[in-house]
Amino acid sequence: MSKQVPGDLFKGQFIGMYDVNGNALHEGDSVRLYYKGEFPICKIVYVPEWAMFCLQWPDGYQNKFPMNAERYERIKN
């Protein structure tokens, strides 16, 4: 029996949300969104300390605010 690392608990799991095109979003997916005149590509991650899925920005910052998936576009990984 393998021991699972808490951060990998939801790896690849459907997060219960869909992007602007109706694509299912999963932990680990990259998404593009509009933010202050730019279109950064962020990654969907699960943060065990917060017990929630959130966005990880290109600089590594993890956004603790609720996700608004209807404004995201999934990028093919």
Side-chain angles (χ1 to χ4, degrees):
M1 184 174 193
S2 65
K3 194 172 194 178
Q4 197 166 31
V5 178
D8 292 338
L9 186 63
F10 293 100
K11 190 171 189 127
Q13 294 294 312
F14 174 58
I15 67 167
M17 296 180 179
Y18 296 89
D19 76 353
V20 68
N21 298 315
N23 297 311
L25 295 174
H26 296 82
E27 195 276 341
D29 282 349
S30 294
V31 294
R32 179 183 2 241
L33 61 131
Y34 179 80
Y35 181 73
K36 293 187 178 181
E38 297 182 11
F39 293 91
I41 295 177
C42 300
K43 187 174 181 177
I44 298 173
V45 297
Y46 180 76
V47 180
E49 296 83 22
W50 303 333
M52 65 183 284
F53 292 100
C54 65
L55 291 180
Q56 181 171 320
W57 291 75
D59 64 1
Y61 172 75
Q62 293 177 336
N63 192 354
K64 194 175 179 179
F65 300 102
M67 294 176 55
N68 186 2
E70 295 83 25
R71 295 184 173 206
Y72 307 156
E73 179 183 12
R74 187 182 70 178
I75 306 298
K76 300 222 187 269
N77 291 348

